[in-house]
Amino acid sequence: MILGRLNHIGVATPSIADSVAFYRDVMGATQIHEPFDMPEQGVKVCFVDTPGADGALNGTQIELIEPLPGNTSIAGFLEKNPQGGQHHMCYEVPDIHAAKAEFEAMGKRVLGEPRIGAHGTPIFFLHPKDMGGVLTEIMETPKGGH
């Protein structure tokens, strides 16, 4: 398995609107995508692009995640962290099924089967207790780059 670049950091938030204002006004983000609902995952998502070292928008994305009504996992995270906070880190891999098989062969707990994530590519999560205390998302590298 070849672990690719850090694609994004997931940040749970009680309010995407408030978090967008923070990243724009405090952190200087200029590229903020339109929020969209992912009802099958029970979340609203908004991506914020961070600039790379050369100033171009090729840095790591921040994925803002707000629970939709009925979502228990993000809502539970926010009960423990009312202001929100880092929820997960996401790394790219060239082949999601090969990566899943390799993580399972290492004894890592895969949380569910691969499904389509917010970037429109297959993803799965790994249990934080198996990943140095960090909930880890693995996503197949989007075709055509980022």
Side-chain angles (χ1 to χ4, degrees), residues 59-78:
T60 300
Q61 287 188 315
I62 306 297
E63 178 188 34
L64 301 174
I65 312 161
E66 180 182 324
L68 292 174
N71 177 303
T72 56
S73 63
I74 302 296
F77 180 92
L78 290 172

Side-chain angles (χ1 to χ4, degrees), residues 101-123:
E102 288 192 44
F103 278 114
E104 288 174 331
M106 288 185 268
K108 307 300 183 193
R109 288 173 278 183
V110 174
L111 303 174
E113 290 300 314
R115 59 192 179 278
I116 300 300
H119 282 96
T121 65
I123 66 160

Side-chain angles (χ1 to χ4, degrees), residues 27-69:
M27 301 302 288
T30 57
Q31 182 66 35
I32 300 168
H33 299 261
E34 276 300 310
F36 59 95
D37 289 352
M38 294 188 68
E40 65 283 356
Q41 304 220 11
V43 295
K44 177 181 284 208
V45 172
C46 179
F47 286 103
V48 176
D49 294 342
T50 64
D54 59 1
L57 292 175
N58 60 358
T60 300
Q61 287 188 315
I62 306 297
E63 178 188 34
L64 301 174
I65 312 161
E66 180 182 324
L68 292 174

